[in-house]
Amino acid sequence: FWLFPPAPCRVVMPIFPLTPWGPPLPPRTFTVSTRDAWLATAPSPRLGGTAGARQAGPTMNRLSAMDMRWTVWAPALRAAAYAFSMAGLCLARTERAMLISLCATAVCAGFLMGPVLAANLSVAKAEMRGVAAAFNFTISSLLGIGLAPLVVGAASDLLSSQFGTMSLRYALLLGPLALLCAVVMLLQ
């Protein structure tokens, strides 16, 4: 149990910078108003996240019935897909590409949360599952809500002299890097 939680915590960390830094990204990157950016992007995370979450349970049940290793493999593969879709979101050249990447990112994030928590709890002893869940949520919150937006904001400030208004786009690429670290840890 004590070796497994860092991977789920690293999976959660890149999700949260999109919450405060996602809405300013389209107006900074493209010539759209903040209102138009909100109207275009607001439904995507909710619909995509719901679709991913609804898909996760049945998919994980089928896969883990075939081979228990899928309990870790499926979240690792989805985290890798999430990393690439998030990189696509950050590096999109058109508004349409950004919106498609945002939907893909939301689906991957929605799929990821339940299976990662289930995998974490499956390696904990029955009497320690409450502690495992609390530890996972505490570390995820500290890293994801507390540290990640701060790191992305600081990186954006550091890159602003070189990239100007596009610095946020490149600073958000720290999320996919953290996800790829989580993939490596999940597959060990």
Side-chain angles (χ1 to χ4, degrees):
F1 157 70
W2 294 108
L3 298 176
F4 193 78
C9 296
R10 285 201 177 95
V11 167
V12 171
M13 186 178 169
I15 296 168
F16 290 108
L18 286 178
T19 305
W21 295 116
L25 187 62
R28 282 179 157 201
T29 307
F30 306 108
T31 55
V32 295
S33 69
T34 305
R35 179 184 161 274
D36 290 342
W38 272 98
L39 289 174
T41 60
S44 300
R46 283 134 190 95
L47 295 174
T50 301
R54 290 186 55 85
Q55 165 189 58
T59 303
M60 291 304 298
N61 285 340
R62 275 193 310 275
L63 291 174
S64 58
M66 291 187 300
D67 187 348
M68 201 59 187
R69 292 177 290 184
W70 278 107
T71 306
V72 177
W73 290 347
L77 291 173
R78 192 51 75 108
Y82 181 27
F84 289 111
S85 65
M86 192 172 172
L89 172 68
C90 296
L91 300 175
R93 298 273 186 220
T94 65
E95 294 170 45
R96 179 174 292 236
M98 182 177 278
L99 190 59
I100 291 168
S101 295
L102 179 64
C103 287
T105 300
V107 168
C108 291
F111 182 93
L112 208 52
M113 303 312 277
V116 166
L117 182 60
N120 189 11
L121 296 179
S122 71
V123 297
K125 294 178 188 172
E127 63 272 7
M128 294 295 292
R129 288 189 179 145
V131 174
F135 182 76
N136 187 35
F137 287 128
T138 301
I139 298 300
S140 297
S141 295
L142 289 173
L143 292 177
I145 297 172
L147 186 62
L150 180 67
V151 169
V152 167
S156 179
D157 289 345
L158 287 172
L159 296 171
S160 65
S161 62
Q162 190 173 13
F163 296 108
T165 58
M166 298 295 174
S167 64
L168 178 58
R169 173 181 242 196
Y170 299 116
L172 279 170
L173 287 173
L174 292 172
L177 289 176
L179 274 168
L180 293 176
C181 289
V183 169
V184 169
M185 291 181 75
L186 283 168
L187 293 176
Q188 286 182 348

